[in-house]
Amino acid sequence: MSSPSTQFATLRRMGVYEPNHHQIGMWGESFRCDSTPHTGESTIVEADMKLDNRSENASHGMLGPMETFDQEPNKISDKVLRRLAQNREAARKSRLRKKAYVQQLESSRMKLAQIEQELERTRQQGAFLGGYVGDSSHLPFGGTVNSGVVAFELEFGHWVEEQNRQIRELRSALQAHVSDFELRILVESGMSHYDDLFRMKTIAAKSDVFFLISGMWRTAAERCFLWIGGFRPSEVLKVLSPRLEPLTEKQVMDVCNLQQSSQQAEDALSQGMEKLQQTLAETLTSEPLGISDVANYMGQMTKAMGKLEALASFVNQADHLRQQTMQQMYLILTPRQAARGLLALGDYFQRLRALSSLWAARPHEPA
């Protein structure tokens, strides 16, 4: 049978039991009784040294996990701090954009108020801007400042800026291959933006229908394609169709039918405009020209003014046709196709405006 010291060492090597110093002391007393002095002391010293080494190794082994555990909250807190910093930066940029937009609106409002004050002052003085009517032909709206027209020009300028922003957003979304749900939101926003333009034009037509039909609010290249104060729906469909491919057979048929119906409605409105122009000319020439009869002259002008009221109706009908054509196309196409079509339409108008700028900036040959 082995001695107690040998059993104790065996248990310690197997890791079955780890005695503390008090227990070692108690066992040491019993060892002294059962063993020789030299054997007991050496065994106790050896046990103490092994226990100290094991305790030291254990403490070193525990240090790694403890340090790792302490580092985990630091890592989490760093992520939270970075996220909070990003949120604060995004909020700051949002506040700056909002502030710039409000300042822009306030500046536009002040300009409009200033123009209205000048208009009121001019009316009170009973004078035209050019000194007399014949000298004011350089003004696009008959020689006088029309506050409704000025308001429309300011609104249309903001409308173009917003359209450019939406075009950039649509292009980025298509390049990033976002979901159809996200594209549908962008397309509906773009459609609503065009609805705002038609609403603005309805108000402007009541202020000065000649200004609206003349296209003075458009660039020179855009005016070349102007039809009753806007774009011709059937021509726009021809421009957009190649950008929408591939189309299914049903989509091709629906687009062709829409183009045909739009063309028929355009022909009807064009004939109505021609009839109105003919009637207006007949009204102005119903009395012999050159006769200075004030009563007959004013009577003719009164009849002509009555005819001109129909012009605003034609502009509204043409805008309604444009709006209905866009809505029908939206129903025919998928969200991704509609996004590409809306992007192509915006690009088309952007290029017309760019062409006008290049034409105006071209070098002129000396006379």
Side-chain angles (χ1 to χ4, degrees):
M1 183 175 181
S2 60
S3 62
S5 60
T6 305
Q7 294 177 357
F8 173 68
T10 302
L11 290 175
R12 290 189 67 244
R13 283 198 302 270
M14 294 176 61
V16 175
Y17 184 72
E18 293 289 344
N20 54 31
H21 288 281
H22 178 69
Q23 290 172 327
I24 292 175
M26 294 176 61
W27 289 356
E29 293 295 332
S30 62
F31 291 162
R32 292 191 184 94
C33 298
D34 298 337
S35 305
T36 61
H38 298 289
T39 304
E41 291 175 1
S42 62
T43 304
I44 293 173
V45 171
E46 181 182 1
D48 288 340
M49 292 177 63
K50 289 183 179 180
L51 182 61
D52 292 339
N53 292 335
R54 182 176 293 272
S55 299
E56 184 178 358
N57 292 335
S59 64
H60 285 298
M62 288 295 293
L63 184 61
M66 290 178 65
E67 290 178 352
T68 304
F69 180 78
D70 292 339
Q71 289 174 357
E72 288 299 328
N74 292 335
K75 292 182 180 179
I76 297 175
S77 62
D78 290 343
K79 292 180 181 179
V80 172
L81 290 176
R82 284 197 299 271
R83 181 61 60 84
L84 290 175
Q86 292 174 355
N87 291 343
R88 284 195 297 269
E89 181 65 16
R92 186 184 69 83
K93 292 181 179 179
S94 177
R95 288 193 298 270
L96 290 176
R97 287 195 298 269
K98 182 178 180 181
K99 182 179 179 181
Y101 180 70
V102 171
Q103 289 176 348
Q104 186 180 20
L105 290 180
E106 181 65 19
S107 177
S108 299
R109 187 190 67 80
M110 293 176 64
K111 289 180 181 178
L112 180 59
Q114 183 180 1
I115 293 174
E116 289 178 345
Q117 290 176 1
E118 293 177 357
L119 173 62
E120 185 63 26
R121 185 164 54 250
T122 303
R123 286 175 176 172
Q124 291 176 359
Q125 293 174 355
F128 289 102
L129 291 179
Y132 56 94
V133 177
D135 190 39
S136 58
S137 58
H138 63 281
L139 293 173
F141 24 81
T144 59
V145 176
N146 189 319
S147 60
V149 168
V150 173
F152 172 78
E153 286 186 309
L154 291 174
E155 279 189 292
F156 181 69
H158 294 310
W159 187 91
V160 171
E161 293 177 358
E162 175 62 20
Q163 186 194 37
N164 293 336
R165 187 197 65 79
Q166 290 185 356
I167 290 174
R168 292 192 299 269
E169 192 173 11
L170 264 178
R171 182 176 288 107
S172 299
L174 288 171
Q175 292 175 350
H177 302 287
V178 300
S179 65
D180 287 352
F181 177 76
E182 294 175 276
L183 285 177
R184 187 183 297 276
I185 293 176
L186 295 176
V187 171
E188 289 180 354
S189 177
M191 295 287 290
S192 177
H193 192 55
Y194 276 98
D195 291 341
D196 291 339
L197 175 61
F198 298 138
R199 175 189 55 79
M200 289 158 47
K201 291 175 64 179
T202 300
I203 298 173
K206 296 178 181 179
S207 299
D208 194 334
V209 67
F210 288 115
F211 168 78
L212 203 61
I213 291 181
S214 68
M216 295 302 297
W217 48 288
R218 292 283 192 178
T219 60
E222 289 177 295
R223 287 198 294 271
C224 290
F225 301 93
L226 206 64
W227 174 77
I228 315 182
F231 60 85
R232 190 182 287 268
S234 61
E235 293 297 327
V236 169
L237 290 178
K238 292 180 182 178
V239 173
L240 297 185
S241 295
R243 304 286 295 271
L244 305 177
E245 296 176 353
L247 296 172
T248 64
E249 293 184 3
K250 185 179 185 306
Q251 286 178 323
V252 172
M253 291 183 59
D254 291 341
V255 171
C256 290
N257 292 334
L258 179 60
Q259 187 172 349
Q260 184 178 2
S261 61
S262 298
Q263 182 67 60
Q264 293 174 353
E266 291 168 15
D267 293 342
L269 286 174
S270 297
Q271 292 174 6
M273 284 289 293
E274 292 176 0
K275 183 64 176 178
L276 177 62
Q277 292 173 351
Q278 181 181 354
T279 304
L280 181 60
E282 292 174 354
T283 301
L284 294 175
T285 59
S286 60
E287 296 292 335
L289 299 177
I291 299 178
S292 59
D293 188 336
V294 177
N296 290 336
Y297 180 81
M298 294 305 298
Q300 285 180 317
M301 293 299 104
T302 301
K303 291 180 181 179
M305 290 290 292
K307 301 294 183 182
L308 289 178
E309 292 179 356
L311 275 178
S313 175
F314 274 103
V315 173
N316 293 335
Q317 291 181 59
D319 278 345
H320 181 70
L321 176 60
R322 287 183 269 266
Q323 187 177 27
Q324 289 297 314
T325 302
M326 293 184 65
Q327 291 177 354
Q328 289 297 319
M329 281 294 291
Y330 175 66
L331 296 177
I332 293 172
L333 303 175
T334 64
R336 196 163 299 275
Q337 290 171 334
R340 293 207 310 266
L342 206 59
L343 177 61
L345 184 61
D347 280 340
Y348 177 65
F349 292 130
Q350 275 188 340
R351 293 178 184 184
L352 286 177
R353 290 192 287 267
L355 180 61
S356 298
S357 299
L358 292 173
W359 176 256
R362 75 190 189 282
H364 297 275
E365 296 182 0

